[in-house]
């Protein structure tokens, strides 16, 4: 059975300052290039404040984590802001991505929020470290 992988665009916040990519399905070796390209496209369009809503991702492997780290690096090179949406409970049985990032010890690299609304309204400085 094939599992649908989707990335949809949105803009949020004052004057649409945040680009939002809502990701659903499995983030793995086959689908991570799609997300990588969408992140590059958003940055090329001039958006340097990016929210990746991963609340509907129910599987993530090392290639998916690699895309998230590459997105962080790209946004940092533009002096931008990257926020991940990883709810405590989401994608049926809890955020798989949250558990994977924690297990790999890289979750601390990301500005993680529970929902898009809090990511848009709660200000923080550019990514550091």
């Amino acid at each position: 059975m094939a599992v649908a992988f989707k990335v949809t665009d949105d803009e949020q916040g004052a004057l649409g300052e945040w680009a939002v990519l809502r990701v659903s399905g499995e983030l793995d070796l086959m689908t991570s290039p799609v997300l990588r390209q969408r992140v590059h496209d958003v940055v090329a369009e001039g958006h340097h404040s990016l929210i990746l809503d991963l609340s509907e991702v129910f599987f993530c492997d090392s290639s998916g984590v690699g895309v998230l780290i590459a997105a962080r690096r790209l946004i940092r090179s533009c002096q931008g802001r990257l926020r991940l949406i990883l709810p405590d409970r989401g994608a049926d049985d809890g955020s798989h991505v949250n558990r994977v990032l924690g297990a790999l010890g890289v979750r601390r690299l990301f500005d993680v929020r529970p929902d898009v609304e809090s990511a848009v309204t709660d200000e923080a400085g550019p990514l550091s470290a």
Side-chain angles (χ1 to χ4, degrees), residues 15-84:
L15 305 174
E17 72 174 304
W18 287 95
V20 181
L21 294 179
R22 298 178 195 278
V23 185
S24 62
E26 296 184 8
L27 186 54
D28 59 18
L29 184 62
M30 297 301 295
T31 60
S32 57
V34 174
L35 181 58
R36 181 184 311 270
Q37 186 59 53
R38 294 297 289 277
V39 168
H40 280 271
D41 292 347
V42 165
V43 171
E45 291 166 6
H47 293 282
H48 297 158
S49 294
L50 176 61
I51 295 170
L52 293 177
D53 183 350
L54 305 172
S55 57
E56 294 301 317
V57 172
F58 56 85
F59 177 80
C60 180
D61 69 6
S62 59
S63 59
V65 172
V67 168
L68 298 178
I69 291 171
R72 178 183 182 273
R73 189 177 306 123
L74 176 63
I75 294 292
R76 285 188 63 198
S77 73
C78 301
Q79 307 300 309
R81 300 173 290 176
L82 174 66
R83 294 182 178 163
L84 304 183

